[in-house]
């Protein structure tokens, strides 16, 4: 994981950029369209061919692997270009929720929250913000969007992707790519393919059948290719025995031959495993360095194990995309300036649109007058984003407490209680012999500070030691308790993937924790801190059973003395790490139980990455799912809580009731894998398809989300048009407020296909805003692809003909209208 960054300015919709964005769908001639998409059968155009003829082997190879950027702005990758021939360098930056460089950028809400809006047009505008900012910040290629499906609730990157449903994911990825590339930034759809978990991601071998692959995981990637994505990132994992980055089935047979992709394929970071096998299978670029595609590739060409045409093919794909984007002839529009206000406006709109109200009893929300107790650590620590490569340095981020206080105005008193301590409290000086100040030590550059003493505890208790320190993990102070090191350096990328926000203290110091049970009595404690070149600030803190009880008691008191409670609960997800339970971490469930017992007018706001079990659900008044809502998340949360806007989000994944009832529960071969292999034995039954097939009740179903008003669906009609179904119905706002609804259309099995089909699958949806009492007729198109299954004999899609049931509902389990239609060829 290298970081580089750069800065320039973003594009407006001009010439080539417009052609690129619209080529996939507009009225181009087949050849022009194939060329615009960089398809291999169309060649890459004369300019690229002339360049290839003039490039030396070394120059060609330099275009096929990452290098160190001399003018880095902290972006993830860099390709130096060939100055002699006017080929400019490429700068490649993450990521899915905004441009990740070492400068400020618009931190958009996590993609899962964007998806919750069920609104491809919003995804396009989200992409436009990132596209413009990427160009403004000196980037040429964006390492996003991620479209891997949500298959397991444990996966660490569920917040970075869209959904468990392939149709929704496809719609959103296509629209976002059009938005990004319309601004002149090359998009990279990732991680191709089946990177559906972080655990063992570098080695796990996903065993999946052809039909499941095409019907479920690959649809989003295919949609990205159809939308003209310039690049594809190969995944870390293996697929059916072969690493994704050297997998011919994926890289050539499907991507190139079936889908006609003509852009380039890069590896995920350090995901290359070979030279000859990889380039032969269809890999074009190794990132971020040249371990396999540097001198090793040159030698392979020289000794004849790789024909130079393979190198030319890869170079042609890279240069072909650069040419499409006007990077070779200078026709690329000048980089614009950032537009932080416009970015912030979209970030706010997305966070409001995706806010998903899961429960609202006894009129708990919207908040009316009366004092409010804000409780929970994420009330004052804004959960802007998850951890890993999707993390963005936000332009700003208010705390929810401040946003609620501002919105409540002078009419209501807002108090705050921590409830759950994340960063620890000072260790009482009296328990340390000799005494030392655990509140903070500043070790000067070149100095060493050591402590050898004892810690005495009056009662046996669970202790979480928390160290806060400046500088790199390698110079973290060494702390030994009874001779055991409390914060050893994690191997490999372990330090990088420690977690997201809770690994940084509010003042920016890095944080590590170690929990152990301490027996009553005296324990030896020794600390050794090095000032290093820049000096080091550190503090050692603790959270104990006793401090936890005190925090809880204060929260209960605050809850009791207010009319309303807004309790912020978090889960800190990151790339590189799966969670091991869907329960909230730490003591939060206990906190929610205690607070809701003290005040039933309690709303739990979830800043979590994915689904959460809620044993406390019935005790709450309301539950609002905000995921990681980006830099404007606090304002959006306050707006929804006070009813300034309708919570317009719907779940894009089923929420299981607990760790034992979900699609990958109870079978380690399914998840997390056994002996390095994992079987996708649920087949096409991913997400709600599994709950329906097994008759299991989720805690909250796919598509669920409440409004502050109510909607009814009336007068269904359905027509088969050979291109798909046109499903018509009237949506009626039956309540007394304006509101937003997302009616969904589901389609049942085809009686003519002798296949294990989904009980029902999402066929389409429509996000719609209606005034109180308003009725509107909508038509939802269910395309023929969604009515088709993958035929493994013909390796092609086959239309599911015959009489098919069509449902219109408010979630996959709230199906209100039912009709049927004859589908024929
Ligand atoms: C992630 C990619 C990311 C890359 C560059 C990898 O660890 O899996 O999604 O684009 O790093 O930061």
């Amino acid at each position: 994981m290298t970081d580089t960054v750069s800065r320039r300015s973003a594009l407006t919709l001009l010439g080539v950029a417009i052609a690129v964005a619209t080529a996939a769908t507009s009225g181009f001639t087949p050849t022009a369209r194939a060329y615009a998409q960089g398809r291999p059968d169309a060649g890459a155009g004369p300019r690229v061919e002339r360049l290839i003829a003039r490039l030396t082997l070394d120059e060609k190879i330099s275009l096929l692997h990452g290098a160190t950027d001399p003018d880095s702005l902290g972006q993830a990758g860099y390709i130096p270009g060939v100055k002699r021939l006017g080929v400019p360098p490429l700068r490649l930056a993450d990521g899915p929720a905004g441009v990740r460089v070492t400068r400020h950028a618009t931190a958009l809400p996590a993609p899962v929250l964007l998806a919750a809006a069920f609104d491809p047009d919003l995804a396009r505008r989200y992409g436009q913000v990132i596209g413009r900012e990427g160009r403004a910040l000196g980037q040429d290629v964006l390492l996003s969007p991620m479209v891997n499906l949500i298959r397991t609730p444990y996966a660490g990157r569920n917040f970075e992707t869209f959904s468990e449903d392939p149709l929704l994911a496809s719609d959103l990825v296509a629209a976002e790519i059009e938005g990004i590339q319309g601004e002149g930034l090359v998009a990279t759809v990732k991680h191709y393919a089946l990177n559906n978990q972080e655990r063992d991601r570098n080695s796990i071998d996903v065993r999946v059948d052809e039909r499941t692959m095409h019907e479920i995981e690959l649809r989003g990637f295919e949609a990205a290719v159809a939308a003209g994505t310039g690049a594809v990132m190969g995944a870390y994992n293996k697929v059916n025995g072969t690493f994704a980055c050297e997998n011919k089935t994926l890289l050539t047979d499907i991507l190139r031959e079936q889908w006609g992709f003509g852009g380039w394929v890069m590896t995920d970071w350090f995901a290359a495993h070979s030279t000859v096998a990889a380039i032969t299978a269809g890999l074009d670029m190794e990132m971020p360095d040249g371990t396999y595609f540097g001198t090793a590739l040159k030698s392979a060409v020289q000794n004849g194990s790789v024909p130079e045409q393979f190198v030319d093919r890869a170079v042609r794909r890279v240069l072909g995309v650069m040419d499409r984007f006007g990077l070779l002839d200078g026709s690329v529009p000048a980089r614009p300036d950032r537009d932080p206000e416009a970015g912030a406006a979209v970030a706010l709109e997305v966070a409001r649109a995706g806010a998903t109200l899961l429960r609202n009893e006894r009129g708990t929300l919207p908040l009316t007058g009366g004092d409010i107790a804000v409780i929970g650590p994420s009330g004052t620590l804004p959960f802007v984003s998850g951890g890993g490569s999707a993390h963005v340095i936000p332009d700003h981020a208010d705390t929810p407490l401040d946003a609620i206080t501002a919105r409540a105005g002078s009419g209501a008193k807002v108090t705050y209680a921590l409830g759950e301590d994340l960063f620890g409290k000072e260790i009482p000086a009296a328990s340390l012999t000799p005494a030392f100040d655990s509140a903070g030590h500043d070790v000067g550059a070149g100095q060493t500070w050591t402590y050898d003493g004892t810690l005495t505890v009056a009662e046996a208790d669970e202790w979480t030691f928390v160290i806060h320190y400046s500088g790199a993990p390698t110079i973290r102070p060494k702390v030994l308790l009874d001779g055991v090191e409390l914060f050893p350096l994690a191997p490999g990328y372990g330090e990088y993937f420690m977690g997201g926000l809770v690994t940084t203290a509010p003042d920016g110091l890095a944080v590590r924790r170690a929990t152990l049970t301490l027996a009553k009595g005296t324990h030896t404690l020794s600390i050794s801190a090095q000032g290093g070149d820049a000096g080091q600030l550190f503090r050692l803190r603790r959270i104990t059973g006793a401090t936890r009880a005190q925090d809880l008691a204060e929260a209960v008191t605050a809850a009791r003395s207010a009319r309303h409670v807004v309790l912020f609960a978090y889960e800190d997800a990151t790339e590189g790490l799966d969670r091991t339970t869907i329960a909230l971490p730490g003591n939060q469930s206990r906190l929610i139980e205690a607070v809701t017992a003290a005040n039933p007018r309690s709303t739990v706001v979830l800043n979590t990455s994915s689904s959460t079990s809620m044993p406390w659900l019935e005790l709450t008044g309301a539950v609002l799912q905000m995921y990681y809502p980006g830099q404007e998340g606090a304002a959006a949360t306050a707006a929804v809580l006070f009813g300034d806007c309708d919570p317009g989000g719907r779940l894009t994944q089923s929420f299981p009731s607990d760790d034992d009832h979900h699609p990958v529960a109870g079978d380690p071969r399914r998840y997390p894998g056994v002996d390095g292999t994992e079987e996708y034995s649920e087949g096409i039954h991913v997400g709600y398809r599994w709950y329906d097939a097994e008759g299991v009740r989720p805690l909250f179903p796919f598509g669920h989300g409440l409004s502050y008003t109510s909607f009814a669906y009336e007068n269904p009609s359905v027509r088969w048009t050979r291109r798909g179904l046109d499903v018509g119905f009237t949506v009626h706002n039956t309540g007394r407020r304006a509101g937003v609804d997302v009616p969904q259309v589901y389609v049942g099995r085809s009686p003519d296909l002798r296949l294990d089909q989904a009980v029902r699958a999402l066929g389409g949806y429509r996000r719609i805003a209606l005034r109180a009492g308003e009725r509107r007729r909508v038509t939802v198109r269910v395309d023929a692809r969604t009515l088709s299954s993958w035929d493994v004999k013909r390796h092609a899609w086959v239309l599911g003909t015959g009489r098919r049931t069509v449902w219109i509902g408010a979630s996959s389990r709230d199906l209100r209208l039912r009709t049927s239609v004859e589908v024929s060829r």
Side-chain angles (χ1 to χ4, degrees):
M1 180 79 33
T2 45
D3 282 2
T4 13
V5 183
S6 78
R7 187 184 203 309
R8 287 172 226 169
S9 32
L11 283 202
T12 43
L13 288 167
L14 283 172
V16 170
I18 293 177
V20 168
T22 54
T25 47
S26 66
F28 277 49
T29 64
T31 317
R33 180 173 158 167
Y35 170 57
Q37 291 184 338
R39 290 192 178 170
D41 54 359
R47 188 174 9 252
V48 169
E49 294 307 328
R50 277 198 304 271
L51 270 175
I52 291 175
R54 295 178 64 196
L55 287 166
T56 64
L57 180 60
D58 282 325
E59 286 168 340
K60 289 176 191 171
I61 284 176
S62 74
L63 293 170
L64 303 184
H65 66 83
T68 303
D69 184 354
D71 302 311
S72 172
L73 285 169
Q75 83 275 2
Y78 175 72
I79 300 288
V82 181
K83 203 165 178 194
R84 177 179 80 84
L85 297 174
V87 178
L90 287 178
R91 293 191 165 82
L92 302 86
D94 286 300
V99 182
R100 179 173 169 261
V101 288
T102 43
R103 310 224 167 160
H104 289 275
T106 304
L108 288 150
V112 71
L113 194 147
L114 167 70
F118 278 72
D119 187 350
D121 183 55
L122 196 57
R124 186 171 292 106
R125 287 191 285 127
Y126 183 100
Q128 281 165 353
V129 169
I130 304 181
R132 178 179 174 136
E133 293 218 332
R135 293 228 64 234
L137 291 165
Q139 306 302 307
D140 310 289
V141 180
L142 183 77
L143 305 171
S144 169
M146 168 171 174
V147 75
N148 301 101
L149 287 192
I150 297 178
R151 171 181 180 254
T152 158
Y154 302 112
R157 295 181 93 165
N158 284 351
F159 68 92
E160 260 187 82
T161 192
F162 301 117
S163 177
E164 67 188 21
D165 181 74
L167 170 72
L168 181 60
S170 302
D171 290 351
L172 298 174
V173 79
E176 190 184 332
I177 286 173
E178 285 165 12
I180 294 164
Q181 297 198 154
E183 299 295 317
L185 193 69
V186 178
T188 309
V189 67
K190 69 188 186 184
H191 310 83
Y192 185 64
L194 297 139
N195 180 186
N196 307 106
Q197 70 191 52
E198 292 304 281
R199 186 151 163 190
D200 300 329
R201 69 175 180 172
N202 293 311
S203 57
I204 194 83
D205 182 9
V206 172
R207 300 282 167 157
V208 59
D209 66 80
E210 181 183 331
R211 185 179 157 225
T212 299
M213 203 152 75
H214 281 274
E215 287 188 25
I216 302 297
E217 170 83 350
L218 294 191
R219 277 187 69 187
F221 289 97
E222 186 180 3
V225 169
T229 189
V232 170
M233 182 188 289
Y236 285 117
N237 49 284
K238 293 179 184 167
V239 176
N240 293 329
T242 308
F243 279 111
C245 288
E246 55 189 49
N247 191 307
K248 178 173 170 292
T249 308
L250 286 178
L251 300 185
T252 297
D253 303 352
I254 296 175
L255 189 60
R256 306 280 173 191
E257 290 172 9
Q258 285 173 16
W259 299 344
F261 176 62
W264 88 87
V265 181
M266 71 183 82
T267 62
D268 199 339
W269 266 229
F270 305 105
H273 292 273
S274 64
T275 303
V276 181
I279 198 159
T280 309
L283 179 72
D284 303 306
M285 182 186 279
E286 177 187 11
M287 288 308 287
D289 64 11
T291 307
Y292 296 98
F293 273 31
T295 26
L297 181 56
K298 184 177 178 186
S299 312
V301 172
Q302 284 167 339
N303 70 26
S305 43
V306 169
E308 193 163 346
Q309 294 95 297
F310 284 13
V311 170
D312 290 352
R313 179 179 72 181
V315 169
R316 182 174 293 115
R317 290 165 177 167
V318 176
L319 293 181
V321 175
M322 291 179 74
D323 202 24
R324 279 171 58 192
F325 282 75
L327 294 167
L328 295 183
D329 64 353
S331 65
V332 56
R335 294 183 188 272
D337 290 331
R338 282 194 65 210
D339 186 348
E341 287 75 30
V346 173
L348 179 64
E349 187 182 345
V350 172
R352 289 165 66 135
T356 308
L357 183 60
L358 298 176
R359 172 183 165 92
N360 191 15
E361 295 295 313
R362 306 181 293 275
T364 301
L365 291 181
L367 297 176
T368 47
D371 294 349
I372 302 169
V374 173
I375 294 173
S378 39
T380 49
L381 177 73
F383 262 61
V384 172
S385 71
S389 60
H391 182 77
V392 175
I393 302 173
D395 279 325
H396 60 90
D398 289 345
T399 70
L401 175 63
D402 286 348
I404 290 171
T405 307
R407 177 59 184 75
S410 53
K413 194 168 103 209
V414 180
T415 52
Y416 176 71
L418 182 60
E420 166 99 345
D421 187 6
L422 294 179
F423 299 109
K425 303 184 194 322
E426 284 172 33
I427 300 176
S431 61
L432 294 162
T433 315
F436 89 87
D437 184 5
S438 74
H441 278 271
D442 205 346
V443 186
Q447 308 283 303
T448 301
W449 184 89
T450 56
Y451 173 82
D452 276 299
T454 59
L455 168 70
T456 303
V457 297
E459 298 295 336
D461 199 354
E462 186 185 81
W463 275 61
T464 298
F465 288 91
V466 189
I467 190 160
H468 300 203
Y469 63 97
S470 60
T474 40
I475 59 160
R476 184 161 63 219
K478 233 183 190 359
V479 181
L480 297 167
L481 187 87
D482 294 331
V484 176
E485 190 167 352
L486 291 184
F487 312 104
L489 206 59
Y493 284 121
E495 286 290 334
Y496 184 80
F497 296 123
M498 266 340 244
L501 286 179
V502 306
T503 55
T504 307
D507 64 356
L509 295 195
V511 172
R512 294 290 181 266
R513 300 175 181 80
T515 299
L516 57 161
T517 303
L518 287 192
K520 173 182 173 176
T522 297
H523 302 266
T524 63
L525 177 68
S526 60
I527 305 172
S528 156
Q530 310 294 330
D533 293 340
Q536 181 168 68
L537 187 64
F538 86 92
R539 43 192 181 242
L540 184 67
R541 298 179 159 219
R542 49 107 211 207
I543 303 166
T544 64
T547 68
R548 279 194 187 101
Q550 184 195 332
D551 286 329
L552 190 84
E554 284 172 15
V556 167
T557 306
R560 243 188 229 122
S561 47
R563 175 165 167 76
H564 305 282
V565 173
V566 181
L567 193 159
F568 285 84
Y570 78 94
E571 177 238 327
D572 189 33
T574 178
E575 175 189 341
L577 208 66
D578 282 358
R579 56 185 172 161
T580 52
T581 170
I582 60 169
L584 287 172
N587 240 20
Q588 295 184 94
S589 287
R590 175 84 198 85
L591 174 67
I592 294 171
E593 280 161 16
V595 164
T596 49
N599 186 339
R601 277 181 305 277
S602 291
T603 298
V604 175
V605 178
L606 292 168
N607 290 129
T608 50
S609 72
S610 186
S611 50
T612 302
S613 58
M614 306 181 197
W616 35 261
L617 182 67
E618 297 298 321
L619 306 171
T620 65
V623 179
L624 176 64
Q625 175 70 50
M626 290 301 295
Y627 302 102
Y628 302 144
Q631 65 177 43
E632 308 301 324
T637 305
V640 175
L641 290 171
F642 284 90
D644 302 338
C645 61
D646 203 32
R650 303 293 184 263
L651 290 183
T652 67
Q653 63 196 299
S654 313
F655 274 32
S657 51
D658 55 44
D659 284 305
D660 299 324
H661 298 90
H662 56 72
V664 299
D667 184 351
R669 284 168 306 182
R670 210 174 260 189
Y671 177 84
V674 173
D675 296 335
T677 297
E678 188 180 34
E679 292 163 21
Y680 279 31
S681 53
E682 74 277 23
I684 58 137
H685 300 291
V686 168
Y688 62 88
R689 289 162 167 82
W690 178 88
Y691 290 86
D692 289 343
E694 300 293 324
V696 172
R697 219 181 123 101
L699 179 64
F700 291 112
F702 175 87
H704 171 74
L706 303 171
S707 159
Y708 289 146
T709 182
S710 52
F711 295 94
Y713 310 140
E714 299 156 357
N715 302 325
S717 67
V718 55
R719 200 163 61 95
W720 164 242
T721 68
R722 287 185 192 281
R723 287 188 312 149
L725 301 177
D726 284 340
V727 182
F729 51 96
T730 301
V731 186
H732 179 192
N733 180 345
T734 52
R736 279 177 301 176
R737 303 171 60 106
V740 176
D741 194 24
V742 184
Q744 300 143 44
V745 173
Y746 293 87
V747 185
R749 297 168 168 140
S750 156
D752 297 345
L753 295 180
R754 288 213 198 93
L755 291 172
D756 176 24
Q757 298 169 65
V759 174
R760 68 184 66 84
L762 183 71
Y765 49 87
R766 176 64 50 81
R767 182 182 177 84
I768 180 172
L770 293 180
R771 294 187 305 276
E774 190 181 353
R775 279 191 166 80
R776 199 176 309 156
R777 187 87 190 150
V778 299
T779 302
V780 171
R781 160 63 60 85
V782 180
D783 65 15
R785 169 60 62 84
T786 303
L787 299 166
S788 302
S789 291
W790 183 258
D791 182 338
V792 293
K793 289 207 189 82
R794 291 171 45 225
H795 308 294
W797 292 94
V798 53
L799 182 66
T801 52
R803 185 142 285 280
R804 302 195 65 169
T805 307
V806 173
W807 292 268
I808 296 149
S811 78
S812 70
R813 289 294 173 99
D814 182 4
L815 304 166
R816 307 210 186 140
L817 300 175
R818 177 189 170 130
T819 177
S820 69
V821 64
E822 190 66 28
V823 172
S824 56
R825 247 180 232 112

